[in-house]
Amino acid sequence: MAYLRFEALKKLNERPSVPVSSPGPKVSDFFGENVFNTEQMRASLAPAVFKNVTAAIKNHDKIDATTADAVASAAKLWAMSKGATHFTHWFQPMTGGTAEKHDSFFDAQSGIEKFKGSELVQQEPDASSFPSGGIRSTFEARGYTAWDPTSPMFLYGKTLCIPTVFVSYTGESLDTKSPLLKALKAVDVAATKVCQLFDKDIQHVVASLGPEQEYFVVDEALYMARPDLVMASRTVFGHAPARGQQMEDHYFGSIPARVYDFMKEFEFESWRLGIPVRTRHNEVAPCQFEVAPLFEEVNVANDHNQLMMDVMGRVAEKHNLKVLFHEKPFAGLNGSGKHNNWSLITDNGINLYAPSSSARDNLLFLTFFVTTIKAVHEYCDLLRASIATAANDFRLGANEAPPAIMSVFIGTQMSAVLDELEKKGNVKIEKGDNMYMKLGIDQIPEIILDATDRNRTSPFAFTGNKFEFRAVGASDNCAIPMTVLNLIVAAQLDHFNEAVTKEIDKGTEKRLAIVNVLRKYIKESKSVRFEGDGYSEDWVKEAAKRGMNNIKNMPRAIEAYLTKESVALFEKHGVLSHKELEARNEIRLEAYIKKVQIEARVIGDLAMNHIIPTAIAYQNKLIQNANGLKGLGVDNKAVVQTIKEISGHIDTIKNGTRQMVEERKRINKITDTHKRAFAYCDDVKEKYFDTIRDAVDKLELLVDDEDWPLVKYREMLFLR
Ligand code: ADP
Ligand code: MG
């Protein structure tokens, strides 16, 4: 057979090894060499200018024109000394991924290289092709990118990249970074206020993020031989291999040599870009891996994650590999997430989620701990919305992923602490009492979660000194969930602050006022706490009894952005306006519709043009065989049975595909985007995808291996 499948398999055996060499003897020799970082700025800027820049960064202030000119000139010299010829504003439009438009330093008119402060600060990309959900067409046709000085410039290839936000001329955000920056500022302000109840010296609170990135790796030729992977980033058909992940031998097993070389090289490249990648290992499914960096300030960590994904894709090509970031590229196998490890850290270095041996600091810890749980309880639907994507729908709620129910896991130790604090509600505190001791919060031991106490099935888990938002999808931009998480925590901290102030005004002693509010929060947010197996059917029932939402698909989940309360929340903290929220949902729904459309087309095309002809050809062989047997007077019942089975599956596929096409025609006429998205979800995806797939996957088991056109799971997933 001249199928691409067999050519690809042949290539697999002829892969040359790709040599990888380290850019230097030690990582510290080259870490960050391609970043115009604080040290570079300090070295190349006049002290006064340097001070201006760092102060502006810390206080979220604007940078003046003279300072910008000085920075631009220093950055240009630095970049050119490293061979750069161009600069670009690097931004994150709402399509996902990153975008850039390159301009050369060289100015033909003057014959010299130039880079002005104004070019650093602001640019006008040809933005007409980026989605704006109608904002730009309604208000102003142009948009511009503006420098984000809180994330360092870096050299990528021969281009100086400047992290920027992307906004319309009328000021609406058109990207994922600008609302994130606003939410980070909101949480800084709110958390600092609460910290000052304890310690007046605390001036800022910085949110930190360590995103653990899961991904699959497959051979490039095999990838190219799967039109569904190429078109839809996931396999729409494919029978699970005989050996899947039941053996659990892949997890922490040895890394295949080709993948290992790829990892080494993308780590080198990441380090040169100042991305602090740290751990690498195999994941649960065959050919699934994970890379985790050291945590950083959220905005920088997210830029680094976006950049790292790009680096991984480019390096993989050199190794004839393809990286898959899709949340569920292979049915029946573990999906890929991007666990967002998150905490708040004060400017004097206190991690607000780390219990301490000092009783006073523990009250501070408990304040943030309990308030965060309360925030998840209050705003669980928004949190659910923040991780909703078409691809994550295949992962959430499937057996091997956290469900779409937002709950919090805190472990037995912390559960005991909170239960104790709640129980002691009636304890009278007299003057001179050791309040901490009386309430049982004088000592919270360092929390070491052992293997048994680590809940891998929770969407939002406390892991000793940070929360881990595990429900985030592998291909997602962390800015979206991080905007929501930091915003809801900011909002809850504000409520907390108000409630405590009220109590104090009534004459309650400050610490007691704090404890009283915390106790109330513990009681009110109890239903969001869940310590059991999040993957179990029992939890789904239990959650329903608790009145918790279980929103299974993206079009419905993102409606939470547009409730009256959500809009008020986003507007109050200046993160997004009603108009921007609406525009964003419109963009998301349009993207969702397109994704389902593409998948439906790929399914239809593969089914009708590849699978059915193959099945019929094979069936004809069997018919000949059955007739031959009959002529010889040999029993042909088994063969006839197979022929019938094949016919049954062919019918299912044909009918399903035909009806699916009819449904699409009907749905495309629906003008309302919301309704069209719901219809694509319910009447195309839910109704037909699995039925058609099931029949195709059964045929895969019946048809002669030599005749099957698509690369099989076992061939893709067991790289060496
Ligand atoms: P675990 O074994 O719990 O997954 P790791 O130490 O491997 O923990 O950390 C996982 C990720 O969490 C890493 O990216 C790490 O840098 C990050 N991380 C650790 N501490 C914090 C923190 N205080 N805030 C945010 N992220 C953190
Ligand atoms: Mg982890």
Side-chain angles (χ1 to χ4, degrees), residues 206-213 276 278-279 281 290-296 298 339-345 351-354 449 454 456 463-468 470:
V206 173
S208 301
L209 167 67
E212 297 168 67
Q213 178 72 58
R278 207 158 151 224
T279 47
H281 60 75
E290 179 188 298
V291 51
L294 190 72
F295 67 91
E296 300 175 278
V298 173
H339 304 167
N340 278 209
N341 294 274
W342 169 89
S343 69
L344 294 172
I345 299 174
N351 175 355
L352 293 164
Y353 294 100
L449 298 169
R454 254 185 189 256
R456 299 195 176 276
T463 49
N465 61 357
K466 61 186 186 282
F467 279 98
E468 185 171 346
R470 305 172 54 90

Side-chain angles (χ1 to χ4, degrees), residues 104-114:
S104 73
F105 288 126
F106 180 70
D107 173 58
Q109 219 166 23
S110 58
I112 54 167
E113 278 77 11
K114 280 187 172 169

Side-chain angles (χ1 to χ4, degrees), residues 369 372-374 376-377 383 405-411 458-462 467 525-531 539 546 548:
F369 183 72
T372 303
I373 297 170
K374 172 78 172 155
V376 177
H377 176 261
L383 211 53
I405 308 162
M406 292 297 113
S407 64
V408 185
F409 167 89
I410 59 171
S458 174
F460 198 87
F462 180 64
F467 279 98
S525 62
K526 228 174 189 173
S527 66
V528 84
R529 276 159 54 193
F530 179 64
E531 302 288 305
W539 169 228
R546 294 188 191 181
M548 298 168 82

Side-chain angles (χ1 to χ4, degrees), residues 334 397-403 455-458 470 530 532-540:
N334 194 52
N399 302 331
E400 325 79 11
N455 192 315
R456 299 195 176 276
T457 66
S458 174
R470 305 172 54 90
F530 179 64
D533 178 2
Y535 293 180
S536 69
E537 206 31 59
D538 287 350
W539 169 228
V540 175

